[in-house]
């Protein structure tokens, strides 16, 4: 990456050392330099996004590991108590049997947590692979996909979807939206929430009052494209705008602002499906 950044400067220095360069040559060098800056910025953005996803995954695994460690510690305590009962001559068989049952239940719970952790890791990996395998490397720069407990989160940059400062879907968004629509249709029983998000720069258009309006209009545009162009059942779709109030990065930098200008597509299982995914029985109507 550093070589790509320095190459235009080296070429420029070489050209200057040989004398004046033509306007055409200078423009070509400037174009290469600008392209290198753009590539560097995109690589930084991709790296930051990857770090965020990694942090979320690590936190999920750490939480489950803490539960496993706690359960193991409890099992060790129960085993110690049982050993003391067995060593004491005046302890009744009833207490011993009770401790043995508690140890068995604790072991089953530990195994349940381990299985749940493995299932969560595998499910997230499989879903993420299925979602991203049809996207090109260029699309992946503007599309962020993650899966948490069976809920699919797809984040699209405004550059991918809209014309600058507008809520109109751009022509280049069609290829990506068609793939996302296929994903949505594959999960036919899941609900789909489309959320628009902006940076904190006020919108300057007479027909749009503020960033609330812009984010909601952008979400609505995606919903209508999914319905009218890609045949997604509108009963499954919800459009919402969060304006500038759900940032994922610092708005004090251009890179942070670009990350905050995004549309998120959240594909969510219904309650009974969600309970199955996290390993719990669905509540009955009386609860």
């Amino acid at each position: 990456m550093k070589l790509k950044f320095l190459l235009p400067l080296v070429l420029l220095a070489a050209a200057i050392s040989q004398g004046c360069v033509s306007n055409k040559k200078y423009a070509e060098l400037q174009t290469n330099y600008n392209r290198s800056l753009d590539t560097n910025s995109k690589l930084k953005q991709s790296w930051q996004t990857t770090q965020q996803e990694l942090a979320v995954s690590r936190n999920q695994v750490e939480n489950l590991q803490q539960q496993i460690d706690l359960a193991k510690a409890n099992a060790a305590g129960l085993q110690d108590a049982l050993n003391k009962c067995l060593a004491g001559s005046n302890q009744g068989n009833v207490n011993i049997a009770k401790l043995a049952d508690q140890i068995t239940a604790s072991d089953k719970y530990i195994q349940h947590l381990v299985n749940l952790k493995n299932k969560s890791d595998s499910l997230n990996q499989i879903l993420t692979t299925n979602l991203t395998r049809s996207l090109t490397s260029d699309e992946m720069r503007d599309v962020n996909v993650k899966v948490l407990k069976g809920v699919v989160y797809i984040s699209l940059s405004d550059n991918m979807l809209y014309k600058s400062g507008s809520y109109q879907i751009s022509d280049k968004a069609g290829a990506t939206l068609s793939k996302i629509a296929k994903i949505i249709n594959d999960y036919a029983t899941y609900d789909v929430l489309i959320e628009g998000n902006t940076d904190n720069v006020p919108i300057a258009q007479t027909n749009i009052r503020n960033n609330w309006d812009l984010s909601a209009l952008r979400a609505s545009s995606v919903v209508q494209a999914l319905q009218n162009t890609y045949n997604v059942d509108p009963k499954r779709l919800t459009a919402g705008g969060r304006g500038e109030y759900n940032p994922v990065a610092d708005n004090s930098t251009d890179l942070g602002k670009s990350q905050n200008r995004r549309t998120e597509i959240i594909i969510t299982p219904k309650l009974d499906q969600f309970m199955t995914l996290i390993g719990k029985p669905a509540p009955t109507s009386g609860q």
Side-chain angles (χ1 to χ4, degrees):
M1 182 168 67
K2 291 182 177 179
L3 290 176
K4 291 182 179 179
F5 179 76
L6 293 174
L7 183 57
L9 298 179
V10 173
L11 293 174
L12 181 60
I16 293 174
S17 66
Q18 296 175 2
C20 297
V21 297
S22 66
N23 289 337
K24 180 179 179 182
K25 185 64 175 179
Y26 176 81
E28 180 181 348
L29 291 171
Q30 185 64 45
T31 299
N32 290 337
Y33 173 71
N34 292 338
R35 186 179 296 115
S36 297
L37 288 179
D38 181 61
T39 299
N40 185 50
S41 175
K42 289 179 177 179
L43 287 172
K44 285 182 179 179
Q45 181 177 350
S46 177
W47 181 83
Q48 290 185 356
T49 298
T50 302
Q51 289 298 105
Q52 292 171 356
E53 293 178 2
L54 183 59
V56 171
S57 297
R58 283 176 175 170
N59 183 60
Q60 183 183 18
V61 172
E62 287 175 2
N63 288 339
L64 284 170
Q65 189 61 53
Q66 288 174 0
Q67 295 181 57
I68 292 171
D69 292 341
L70 183 61
K72 286 183 176 179
N74 182 55
L78 291 171
Q79 185 65 53
D80 183 61
L82 177 59
N83 292 337
K84 290 179 180 178
C85 285
L86 292 173
S89 58
N90 10 351
Q91 294 298 325
N93 292 331
V94 175
N95 289 337
I96 295 175
K98 182 178 179 181
L99 284 170
D101 290 341
Q102 289 178 333
I103 291 174
T104 300
S106 179
D107 288 340
K108 289 181 179 180
Y109 180 61
I110 291 173
Q111 189 58 50
H112 168 72
L113 289 175
V114 172
N115 292 339
L116 180 59
K117 177 177 177 292
N118 292 337
K119 179 181 178 181
S120 176
D121 291 342
S122 299
L123 177 64
N124 291 351
Q125 183 60 44
I126 290 170
L127 289 176
T128 302
T129 300
N130 288 341
L131 294 173
T132 58
R133 64 186 176 186
S134 63
L135 299 177
T136 67
S137 57
D138 288 338
E139 289 171 330
M140 284 300 295
R141 282 200 294 265
D142 292 314
V143 179
N144 176 25
V145 179
K146 61 183 177 181
V147 181
L148 296 175
K149 292 185 177 180
V151 180
V152 180
Y153 299 86
I154 305 174
S155 182
L156 305 172
S157 71
D158 66 333
N159 293 330
M160 167 67 72
L161 287 177
Y162 314 106
K163 299 175 182 178
S164 179
S166 170
Y167 56 86
Q168 298 295 329
I169 301 293
S170 65
D171 294 336
K172 69 178 182 179
T176 303
L177 279 180
S178 66
K179 294 173 183 177
I180 291 174
K182 184 179 184 304
I183 294 169
I184 293 173
N185 286 326
D186 286 343
Y187 292 84
T189 60
Y190 283 33
D191 292 326
V192 183
L193 172 62
I194 314 296
E195 284 187 351
N197 294 269
T198 71
D199 58 26
N200 63 348
V201 178
I203 186 69
Q205 290 195 22
T206 56
N207 62 330
I208 302 177
R209 292 175 296 180
N210 48 43
N211 284 336
W212 278 114
D213 279 0
L214 178 61
S215 63
L217 287 168
R218 285 184 164 181
S220 179
S221 292
V222 173
V223 162
Q224 292 180 66
L226 291 173
Q227 174 188 354
N228 299 327
T229 306
Y230 303 106
N231 300 317
V232 176
D233 184 357
K235 294 179 181 178
R236 300 172 54 202
L237 300 173
T238 301
R242 304 194 68 175
E244 64 198 68
Y245 302 104
N246 185 37
V248 294
D250 189 351
N251 275 310
S252 64
T253 66
D254 290 340
L255 178 59
K257 289 177 182 177
S258 69
Q259 290 178 304
N260 291 332
R261 295 191 302 268
R262 69 198 189 281
T263 296
E264 294 189 340
I265 300 175
I266 305 172
I267 307 174
T268 310
K270 298 185 185 301
L271 181 59
D272 57 341
Q273 297 166 326
F274 181 78
M275 290 298 183
T276 300
L277 287 169
I278 64 174
K280 295 182 179 179
T284 63
S285 58
Q287 292 180 318

